[in-house]
Amino acid sequence: PAKTMDELVSLCKRRGFIFQGSEIYGGMQGAYDYGPLGIELKNNLKAAWWRSMVYERDDVEGLDAAIVQNKHVYKYSGHEDTFTDPMVDCHECKSRLRADHMKDIKVCDNCGSTNVTEPRDFNLMFKTNVGPMVNEDSYTYLRPETAQGIFTNFKNVVDSTSRTLPFGIAQIGKSFRNEITPRNFIFRVREFEQMELEFFCKPGEDEKWHEFWVGARKQWWLDQGLAEENIQFEYVTGDDLSHYSKSTVDILYKFPHGFEELEGVANRTDYDLGSHTKAQDEFEITAKVKKNEHSTAKLAIRDLEANKWEIPFCIEPSAGLDRGLLAVMTEAYTEEELPNGTTRTVLKFKPHLAPIKVAIMPLKKNKPEIVALAKELKNKLQKLGLGRILYENTGNVGKGYRRHDEVGTPICVTVDFDSIEQEGAPVTVRDRDTMEQIVVKAADLPAYVINYFIN
Ligand code: ATP
């Protein structure tokens, strides 16, 4: 794994994974742009999450809700009142700091001074104006989590899919938080993507499902290539527990800057549906909720055995896509000493995450028959639907191997003179991890590649 954030930042920029946002204007703190390879990696990680959450289960539905919603969503979700971080100002260096780790000893992160203000609450939501008129009522917020769109659509999903408990709703999308101190590359940013599942179950079955999801989510991260020894659980207690949560388990990963939260798995009880439902008095809501004067829907489900309407409990595994990508890159980063004394950098991604699946390189740039066969193979492999297959005609295979090691391409295929002269058109297939080269007939290449990526 990578030892420092700097080596990752530099590889990400050099090879086109991640760039500083607004770089040509001096950058913008807490905003990053995903380049040609970054977007592929991100899409692959999202697809893996969606596959495991929606396609491989039969009790989860997908959703894509709007980012900008009615401001009442954030009034009743509790975000308007409580989505804050404690902030202090440093009198010495004039910086503003997030103070939640300062506890009793208040020392400025930036200059070490103890001459800082008392902490005060800072709301992390970005406020925005909707429509051409600007007045007291025209505001709303960019969503600080995707979850609320799931709760507000609870009735729509139940009515359109006839779901009964237990079942879940999954969503991937952008969230925005005006973090006081964004830092550590894409670990803490102001605009990021979340992959969230809200899993609804009967009250009383919530603890069982909470335990299930903590285990399932850890296994998923292992399947993405993270090593067991780099993952830890943290049982969130006391003051650190969100007001809506009965219990939360954070899944931590050993990032280059230390063990930090990758995903949180919370037991949100009946807080959210209880907060957003109309006719709150008709239900026995266990959570402490604000009196709702605006909702037009009952967010409950019929318990067929007891023959009554009931507000389900909710378990939420909430993962950061950008943090996930950083974890996967950290883990994949490898520097290897080769027998000839040189070193190579390899990103040892799991094949399903690799941004480029196969690179096809003609050995000779200007030999039409070689070029034609290479292009034909590219088109054939692309049709398999595995992801990006790259035809690359630089005429320098050695350099190509090095570059593709550094971006984690599992397979390189070279087409040479033998390929056009010998029967069966043999091509050379080179493996990223072992660097072994084998000869495969052109006609057998699609089956070889499918077998590699599907198994
Ligand atoms: P932290 O304590 O690090 O601020 P959090 O506990 O506020 O995180 P949650 O509200 O539980 O985070 O959000 C769920 C997930 O969303 C986190 O586990 C993380 O992966 C991701 N996430 C939250 N805030 C950010 C951010 N500013 N930048 C990138 N990812 C984030």
Side-chain angles (χ1 to χ4, degrees):
K3 287 184 206 70
T4 66
M5 199 69 95
D6 285 349
E7 58 195 7
L8 283 182
V9 174
S10 124
L11 176 85
C12 282
K13 163 135 186 160
R14 186 157 34 102
R15 293 301 188 193
F17 283 90
I18 301 166
F19 310 122
Q20 172 67 58
S22 316
E23 195 175 14
I24 64 164
Y25 289 109
M28 177 160 146
Q29 238 202 332
Y32 287 90
D33 300 338
Y34 287 83
L37 297 183
I39 177 62
E40 296 295 336
L41 178 58
K42 210 175 177 190
N43 284 343
N44 293 341
L45 196 57
K46 277 195 226 189
W49 187 90
W50 197 262
R51 238 181 354 254
S52 90
M53 284 300 189
V54 185
Y55 299 161
E56 289 171 8
R57 303 184 60 87
D58 286 306
D59 56 0
V60 173
E61 303 284 353
L63 181 79
D64 183 27
I67 289 175
V68 179
Q69 317 217 8
N70 189 309
K71 59 176 170 292
H72 289 143
V73 172
Y74 305 107
K75 176 186 171 91
Y76 292 109
S77 69
H79 284 92
E80 215 164 37
D81 292 337
T82 63
F83 196 63
T84 58
D85 268 349
M87 176 171 75
V88 302
D89 293 289
C90 175
H91 292 303
E92 297 297 325
C93 71
K94 308 291 174 213
S95 56
R96 290 222 151 122
L97 307 149
R98 184 171 181 253
D100 64 344
H101 59 289
M102 289 189 180
K103 309 278 183 229
D104 302 325
I105 334 148
K106 295 186 182 63
V107 182
C108 174
D109 268 2
N110 203 29
C111 70
S113 164
T114 50
N115 188 9
V116 297
T117 62
E118 280 303 302
R120 61 187 192 285
D121 285 342
F122 173 75
N123 195 299
L124 298 178
M125 285 197 292
F126 280 102
K127 208 169 190 176
T128 189
N129 190 70
V130 181
M133 301 288 285
V134 182
N135 59 41
E136 256 177 29
D137 276 336
S138 62
Y139 71 92
T140 188
Y141 305 95
L142 301 185
R143 67 179 178 199
E145 61 177 25
T146 68
Q148 296 308 318
I150 295 182
F151 302 127
T152 56
N153 279 291
F154 179 78
K155 188 173 161 28
N156 287 332
V157 175
V158 170
D159 289 352
S160 56
T161 64
S162 307
R163 282 287 173 189
T164 54
L165 296 180
F167 82 98
I169 304 177
Q171 176 167 229
I172 302 176
K174 286 259 169 144
S175 292
F176 302 83
R177 297 184 187 180
N178 195 4
E179 297 281 356
I180 301 163
T181 42
R183 60 177 56 161
N184 291 319
F185 196 30
I186 54 170
F187 178 83
R188 184 177 305 286
V189 283
R190 294 193 170 119
E191 174 180 340
F192 53 98
E193 277 184 86
Q194 290 182 309
M195 309 186 285
E196 296 193 299
L197 172 73
E198 306 302 325
F199 193 82
F200 302 101
C201 64
K202 282 185 200 271
E205 293 185 358
D206 51 310
E207 287 176 17
K208 182 190 84 184
W209 280 110
H210 190 214
E211 207 181 301
F212 168 82
W213 280 111
V214 170
R217 294 305 305 149
K218 180 184 174 188
Q219 184 56 50
W220 186 80
W221 285 112
L222 294 175
D223 294 343
Q224 307 319 305
L226 303 192
E228 177 104 43
E229 72 257 27
N230 294 333
I231 295 179
Q232 280 178 4
F233 288 145
E234 183 171 270
Y235 297 85
V236 187
T237 53
D239 283 354
D240 293 333
L241 203 57
S242 309
H243 63 96
Y244 54 74
S245 177
K246 178 167 154 186
S247 62
T248 295
V249 179
D250 284 344
I251 302 175
L252 313 186
Y253 176 73
K254 194 176 175 192
F255 291 99
H257 61 289
F259 271 102
E260 292 260 21
E261 176 179 337
L262 173 62
E263 169 160 358
V265 187
N267 181 345
R268 299 179 71 127
T269 70
D270 53 0
Y271 174 79
D272 304 279
L273 295 181
S275 293
H276 287 302
T277 192
K278 77 167 183 184
Q280 286 164 319
D281 296 342
E282 290 177 20
F283 306 102
E284 289 150 24
I285 300 170
T286 67
K288 209 169 143 260
V289 297
K290 201 187 205 105
K291 184 166 172 38
N292 195 314
E293 290 164 344
H294 293 89
S295 173
T296 61
K298 282 190 196 173
L299 304 183
I301 199 162
R302 197 166 189 90
D303 179 341
L304 294 173
E305 281 157 36
N307 194 28
K308 67 168 190 182
W309 289 86
E310 185 169 65
I311 295 189
F313 267 41
C314 177
I315 308 301
E316 177 197 70
S318 171
L321 177 59
D322 310 73
R323 278 188 197 178
L325 191 142
L326 183 61
V328 163
M329 289 221 56
T330 303
E331 190 76 52
Y333 189 95
T334 312
E335 271 177 11
E336 266 177 9
E337 190 143 341
L338 300 178
N340 67 7
T342 59
T343 56
R344 68 163 187 157
T345 305
V346 200
L347 288 181
K348 294 195 169 176
F349 292 129
K350 289 270 180 177
H352 71 283
L353 294 178
I356 298 169
K357 304 301 181 197
V358 182
I360 302 187
M361 304 183 268
L363 189 69
K364 277 271 171 288
K365 244 176 144 152
N366 307 320
K367 185 87 180 153
E369 297 96 316
I370 291 183
V371 166
L373 178 59
K375 283 187 175 164
E376 185 193 322
L377 289 175
K378 143 118 200 173
N379 291 337
K380 267 203 184 125
L381 295 187
Q382 193 58 64
K383 289 204 176 94
L384 300 176
L386 297 166
R388 186 168 186 199
I389 311 290
L390 186 70
Y391 163 78
E392 193 171 65
N393 191 356
T394 59
N396 187 336
V397 170
K399 257 193 174 164
Y401 285 162
R402 223 164 316 136
R403 184 171 53 254
H404 283 289
D405 282 346
E406 259 202 8
V407 304
T409 308
I411 294 176
C412 288
V413 175
T414 43
V415 180
D416 56 25
F417 286 105
D418 282 352
S419 315
I420 50 171
E421 280 162 9
Q422 289 191 16
E423 205 188 338
V427 296
T428 305
V429 173
R430 185 238 190 209
D431 183 275
R432 173 195 73 196
D433 297 339
T434 63
M435 296 191 289
E436 273 169 19
Q437 304 189 8
I438 59 164
V439 173
V440 175
K441 286 184 180 157
D444 298 336
L445 192 61
Y448 177 89
V449 167
I450 287 180
N451 190 48
Y452 185 94
F453 284 95
I454 304 300
N455 295 313

